[in-house]
């Protein structure tokens, strides 16, 4: 009974100290703000700078707006980085959205674009315009000409988002395409040649695996086009529904496989033979390892049933594996 009282006192002390700690954390957060709030506050100065440029970019003609991309590329070639041109590039992208899509990026969307560009995760509720937010980081990183991949969860969204945002990108002088599951190699290569490529995580993943099986790099004219890699160098990617793709879908491995046997009847034959064998005589079962193995007597009996002289000669070596299964 004394131990029960001591345990109860200990539980109460834990609750008291726990509530004090949580209260202290709330007080600190209310005074100094959360780390997330402080980070977003730092970005406000850039948002203000982009807003100040808005009248300047509104005054440009369509051709002058498109030329901004070339000017940004000249600055990058002269030694500047994408971070150096972020404010001007975002201002140009916002103007393209307003002009070609009738969708002007809000300040919170500019912040979202900066978060994506930095390689962090931007959490936004439904209806806050994630598709439009992605255009900011996609445009900025596509200026380098190394390609940007926008990863979505299915073929429909990849095509829809690409077609929806295409006027913005094209108005800024960029090329854009979408990868679809039924595409031929040549069409895939053309899509990857674009400045911005939309597609699903499966298509990007399988194209990467297939590229590692091809004998030639992009542009190697010693090989025909279909033997050359599709993707080329990987540069920058934006992932939509990041929790779904990097956590839920990551549980499903990407496996490239081919037919295991030319003669599929062997599966049925192996099953028929295995059912005629007797446990603990012809095979042993290991319940712990979930495995079954033929005994020496079982091998001889199975060889006789299969009508072969030996399982361990060329052409017959898959029989033990099929029988074990």
């Amino acid at each position: 009974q004394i131990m029960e009282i001591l345990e109860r006192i200990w539980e109460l002390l834990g609750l008291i100290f726990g509530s004090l700690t949580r209260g202290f954390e709330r007080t600190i957060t209310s005074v100094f703000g959360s780390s997330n709030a402080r980070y977003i506050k730092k970005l406000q100065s850039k948002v203000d700078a982009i807003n100040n440029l808005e009248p300047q970019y509104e005054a440009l003609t369509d051709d002058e707006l498109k030329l901004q991309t070339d000017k940004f590329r000249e600055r990058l070639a002269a030694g500047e980085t994408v971070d150096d041109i972020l404010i001007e590039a975002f201002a140009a992208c916002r103007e393209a959205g307003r002009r070609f899509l009738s969708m002007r990026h809000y300040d919170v969307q500019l912040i979202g674009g900066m978060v994506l560009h930095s390689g962090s995760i931007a959490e936004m509720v439904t209806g806050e315009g994630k598709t439009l937010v992605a255009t900011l980081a996609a445009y900025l990183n596509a200026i380098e000409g190394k390609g940007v991949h926008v990863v979505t969860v299915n073929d429909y969204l990849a095509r829809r988002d690409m077609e929806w945002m295409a006027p913005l990108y094209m108005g800024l002088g960029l090329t854009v395409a979408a990868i679809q599951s039924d595409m031929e190699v040549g069409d895939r290569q053309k899509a990857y040649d674009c400045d911005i490529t939309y597609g699903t995580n499966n298509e990007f993943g399988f194209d990467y695996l297939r590229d590692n099986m091809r004998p030639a790099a992009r542009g190697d004219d010693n090989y025909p086009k279909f033997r050359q890699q599709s993707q080329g160098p990987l540069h920058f990617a934006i992932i939509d529904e990041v929790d779904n793709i990097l956590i839920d879908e990551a549980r499903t491995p990407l496996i490239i496989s081919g037919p295991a046997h030319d003669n599929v009847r062997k599966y049925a034959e192996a099953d028929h033979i295995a059912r005629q064998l007797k446990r603990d005589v012809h095979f042993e079962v290991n319940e712990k390892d979930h495995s079954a193995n033929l005994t020496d007597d079982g091998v001889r009996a199975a060889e006789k049933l299969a009508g072969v002289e030996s399982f361990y000669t060329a052409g017959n070596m898959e029989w033990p594996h099929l029988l074990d299964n």
Side-chain angles (χ1 to χ4, degrees):
Q1 193 171 10
I2 295 173
M3 288 300 297
E4 289 179 4
I5 295 172
L6 290 174
E7 286 176 3
R8 183 59 181 160
I9 292 172
W10 184 255
E11 287 176 6
L12 290 171
L13 287 172
L15 290 172
I16 293 168
F17 282 111
S19 62
L20 287 173
T21 302
R22 287 191 294 273
F24 179 72
E25 287 176 355
R26 284 195 294 270
T27 302
I28 292 295
T29 301
S30 64
V31 174
F32 297 102
S34 67
S35 60
N36 186 58
R38 293 196 300 274
Y39 174 70
I40 290 174
K41 191 173 182 180
K42 286 181 182 178
L43 300 179
Q44 189 58 48
S45 60
K46 292 182 179 179
V47 173
D48 294 339
I50 295 166
N51 288 335
N52 291 336
L53 288 175
E54 193 165 13
Q56 178 182 325
Y57 281 87
E58 282 183 353
L60 299 177
T61 65
D62 288 355
D63 289 337
E64 288 172 338
L65 183 62
K66 184 180 288 188
L67 282 173
Q68 296 305 306
T69 301
D70 292 331
K71 292 181 179 179
F72 294 145
R73 284 176 174 158
E74 289 172 4
R75 289 173 60 182
L76 292 175
E80 291 191 61
T81 67
V82 286
D83 291 324
D84 295 329
I85 64 170
L86 184 147
I87 291 171
E88 294 91 334
F90 273 37
C93 188
R94 171 191 260 182
E95 176 56 24
R98 186 193 68 81
R99 189 173 303 193
F100 303 116
L101 299 176
S102 299
M103 299 170 71
R104 176 185 174 276
H105 298 79
Y106 292 108
D107 287 2
V108 69
Q109 291 173 319
L110 296 177
I111 292 172
M114 293 176 204
V115 171
L116 291 180
H117 168 65
S118 71
S120 299
I121 295 172
E123 183 179 11
M124 304 183 77
V125 300
T126 302
E128 278 196 304
K130 292 181 290 183
T131 306
L132 191 63
V133 168
T135 60
L136 294 159
Y139 171 62
L140 175 61
N141 288 277
I143 293 171
E144 291 185 88
K146 297 178 182 178
V148 167
H149 297 162
V150 182
V151 187
T152 60
V153 292
N154 58 53
D155 275 355
Y156 166 74
L157 287 176
R159 187 175 64 252
R160 186 206 71 175
D161 290 356
M162 182 276 293
E163 292 174 349
W164 190 10
M165 297 296 119
L168 182 155
Y169 297 127
M170 294 169 68
L172 291 167
L174 298 182
T175 54
V176 61
I179 298 288
Q180 298 287 280
S181 57
D182 56 354
M183 269 187 170
E184 297 294 331
V185 175
D187 294 329
R188 286 177 185 274
Q189 291 174 340
K190 290 176 184 176
Y192 283 118
D193 281 337
C194 291
D195 295 305
I196 298 170
T197 308
Y198 284 78
T200 66
N201 58 312
N202 277 349
E203 291 305 310
F204 285 125
F206 277 121
D207 281 341
Y208 177 80
L209 294 179
R210 282 189 284 260
D211 278 355
N212 277 277
M213 297 167 65
R214 292 198 171 103
R218 297 294 298 276
D220 187 344
D221 294 330
N222 295 316
Y223 292 83
K225 279 282 187 184
F226 74 91
R227 301 290 300 279
Q228 298 177 20
Q229 293 181 342
S230 296
Q231 285 184 340
L234 303 177
H235 172 55
F236 187 86
I238 297 170
I239 303 176
D240 189 17
E241 304 290 352
V242 68
D243 52 344
N244 177 272
I245 289 176
L246 290 190
I247 299 175
D248 302 334
E249 291 295 322
R251 297 174 185 173
T252 305
L254 302 179
I255 301 172
I256 292 182
S257 61
H261 298 282
D262 294 332
N263 181 10
V264 295
R265 288 182 59 191
K266 275 196 173 181
Y267 293 110
E269 291 172 6
D271 180 60
H272 179 66
I273 292 168
R275 290 178 187 277
Q276 298 178 63
L277 302 178
K278 296 178 180 177
R279 180 170 179 169
D280 297 327
V281 176
H282 297 125
F283 65 93
E284 297 172 345
V285 177
N286 186 327
E287 300 283 2
K288 183 178 179 182
D289 295 336
H290 302 285
S291 65
N293 297 288
L294 290 168
T295 63
D296 290 341
D297 290 339
V299 170
R300 284 190 288 272
E303 286 172 342
K304 187 176 180 180
L305 290 169
V308 300
E309 185 177 344
S310 172
F311 284 161
Y312 303 102
T313 57
N316 298 323
M317 297 183 72
E318 73 268 20
W319 274 114
H321 175 67
L322 294 175
L323 290 166
D324 284 346
N325 283 339

